[in-house]
Amino acid sequence: MHRLGDLRGRRIPFSVEFSPPRDADAEARLWRAVRVFERLGPAFVSMTYGAGGSTRDRTVRVTGELAEATTLLPVAHLTAVGHSVDELRAMVGAYADRGITNILALRGDPPGNPLGEWEQHPEGLAHADELVRLVRDLGDFHVGVASFPEGHHRSPDLDHDTRFLVNKLRAGAEYSITQMFFDVEHYLRLRDRVAAFDTEQAAKPIIPEIMPITSLRSARRSLELSGSKLPVALEERLVRAAGDGPDEDRAAVREVGIDVATEMCERLIAEGAPCLHFITLNFARATSEVLTRLGIEMPAPAAQPA
């Protein structure tokens, strides 16, 4: 099984994040995006997991279908919030039964209010490093974790946040995927902080997460839930593009969003990022446009027998 920790040394790959669909129409849209990305050849695809396990069954089912019915390498999100240790073991077993051995181990957000007070399940785990150890102890799994270029909103300062990331890596995580950000300097400073804290763990890939903005309203909602921020200059640019009408000018906002995502990716590539991880919202078009601008071409189709 391909190890995500082996990304360094290759031509920069890309990866994408999907979310479990809520209904039949959303599922059809997801699979249309899946087939587009399957042709584009991502290094892996990840499937999110709702707060408190609210999408648990759909996450397991769809991630299993990605493993069984496509050529893609799925990475399953797993969160500690709202689950006992026995339930977490069962989830890991359910993934293993579907042939899934790559897991992103997250403490997770409280259900109902991602920025609310976090409460440990009475028979559960308190921190993501404990979840990393649990998954690693259950078999031959490759485990990643989250990292936060602007610091986790519950961390009192960036040093505290860096210490928690390094603890997760020391527990056995092979890489981290960042929360989305819109200032590349935040990513570079995160790398520097990890390197200053632990040079051995700093050798593990820190994969930047990029969200091409196609709607200012949607972007603000995502940022509100994540605790990340738009740089002032970028927000002003997007507001101007959105216009003063009752409905934002989606085409103009989208043009800015694709431009900014491309510029960020170019800088990240130049700075040696090991992979580019895109939030897709289960659509392929925006990410595909950024990849095209970056010159990441679609692989040639395999020759068909005569």
Side-chain angles (χ1 to χ4, degrees), residues 178-237:
T178 74
Q179 189 176 63
M180 66 176 172
F181 57 92
F182 292 93
D183 184 341
V184 174
E185 291 297 324
H186 290 313
Y187 171 81
L188 300 177
R189 291 174 191 140
L190 169 63
R191 287 198 319 192
D192 290 345
R193 290 196 301 272
V194 175
F197 203 96
D198 188 319
T199 55
E200 180 180 355
Q201 302 309 319
K204 295 178 178 179
I206 299 177
I207 300 173
E209 182 176 69
I210 299 103
M211 186 179 79
I213 293 175
T214 58
S215 164
L216 180 55
R217 184 178 296 106
S218 295
R220 282 173 166 165
R221 177 60 176 164
S222 296
L223 289 160
E224 179 183 344
L225 295 175
S226 71
S228 299
K229 297 179 177 63
L230 276 178
V232 172
L234 175 55
E235 182 162 21
E236 291 174 349
R237 187 176 170 188

Side-chain angles (χ1 to χ4, degrees), residues 76-96:
H77 289 214
L78 178 66
T79 65
V81 65
H83 291 311
S84 67
V85 169
D86 286 345
E87 289 171 334
L88 292 168
R89 288 196 182 106
M91 280 290 298
V92 175
Y95 284 134

